[in-house]
Structures are given as structure tokens and as C-alpha cells.
Amino acid sequence: MELLARAPLFGALSPETLTACAEKFREAQFTRGEMLFARGDPGTHLYIIFEGHVRLAVATSEGRELSFQIVGPGDLFGEIALLDGGSRSAEATALTAIVAFSLERNAFHELRSNIPAISDAVIACLCRRLRDASDKMEAIALYPLEIRLARFLCVALKGGPEASGRRTPLELPYSQGELALLLGASRPKINAALGALEAAEAIKRASDRLFCDRAKLARIAQWEEV
């Protein structure tokens, strides 16, 4: 139930309602590289991740791909097709081994019929999704890549552990190529932007992680300190 309480769609519900919802979820596991669903598939389930990371992307018939989100522990996805009864609008692929909990469409609609507060939570969740999409489009259109990358890293650091020293370690469970797709840039440009952040002493790169100066990243991102 603690996991459900952190999910955007369910977090504002009462403990009693969360308990009723949690009873309808079922555990689901996927291996690294496995596709959870493809674009055009029926939207039969929504998912909340317990462990691992999933890439959400759209692809053309020519093979071009755009990753628009990578979701991790506590994140919810797959709700759009579940809500409107349409097909999947994107594909979901496991970047790591995944442990998730799924909710089947009929079970969700039964909960929504019996618990009116869930409908209000759905509206609030979809409004947040629209705001997030608007913010991402604004960032891609109006801000240099270094600022977009700094903002991405600030968001990734939120909720993470505080470092005992000046820099906070951050493990990114995906490649520079995947990061480039998320930020609407090429891989060489992402590498150059990482170099610029390193030159500004906002990050230090290691083989498997970044060591981040939260205050400097926030200043480059033009945000308050994370």
C-alpha cells in the first residue's frame, strides 16, 4: 500500500480507499529488454513499478524512435489506454529487470464506480500529465541543452539520498543514447553538454554514475536548489 500511496493517480486517496485499491493489483515481472506492450496493443492494464526502469517510446514504420519518458520505482504508466478504452499510444520496454504491480481494466472501472474519489484523482492525474508535457515542449523549444540536461538531473536527484560530502552520487540506468532521445538531442550533443556541466563543476563523471553538486546544477537549471 505504501507503493500505491506514492503513485500519482492514487496518492491523494484515503488509507481505506488505498487498501481497497491495493487488493485489486497483481504482481508482474519482466526481464531486461522485454517489451511490456507495443504501440497499438489493447490497453488492458496499468502498471506501477516497484523495482527497475521502463522506457516509454514511440517509433515510426521506418524504425525511427523517440523516447519520451523513463519511469522508475513508484511511477505509474499505461493509464491512458486503460481510461479511454483505446489502443496503446506508445511502447514500453524494460531497461532492467522489472518488478511491477498491474491493475486490470475491469477491476479499475469497478473501483472507480464504487469509489467516487478515484474519478477526481484521475482528473488531477491527467491534468498533471498535460502540464508536464507542456513543460517538456517549452524546454525543448526555448532552452539550451545544458539547461535541459541540468533540469533533468535535478529532477532525477529529487527524493534521492543526501551525500555526506559536497556531491551526490546519481546512477542513471540508461545510456547516453537513451538520454539523448529523452532530451531531443543527438548523442554527441549530450556528451558535449555533460562536458559543459563537468567544466562548470556541477557534475563529475565516473564509469557507472555521476557525482552531482545540487546547488550548481540548480543554478544552471535556473531553478531553486533541489
Side-chain angles (χ1 to χ4, degrees), residues 137-157:
M137 287 189 290
E138 176 188 356
I140 290 174
L142 300 179
Y143 294 101
L145 182 56
E146 288 82 0
I147 292 179
R148 286 160 27 212
L149 179 56
R151 290 186 173 191
F152 179 88
L153 295 176
C154 285
V155 171
L157 286 166

Side-chain angles (χ1 to χ4, degrees), residues 13 16 68 123 149 159 168 174 191 216:
L13 300 175
E16 295 79 10
F68 60 87
I123 293 171
L149 179 56
T168 303
Y174 35 87
N191 191 50
K216 288 183 178 179

Side-chain angles (χ1 to χ4, degrees), residues 72-92:
D75 288 330
L76 177 148
F77 65 99
E79 77 281 7
I80 294 177
L82 190 88
L83 289 169
D84 68 8
S87 59
R88 295 293 189 189
S89 59
E91 64 183 37

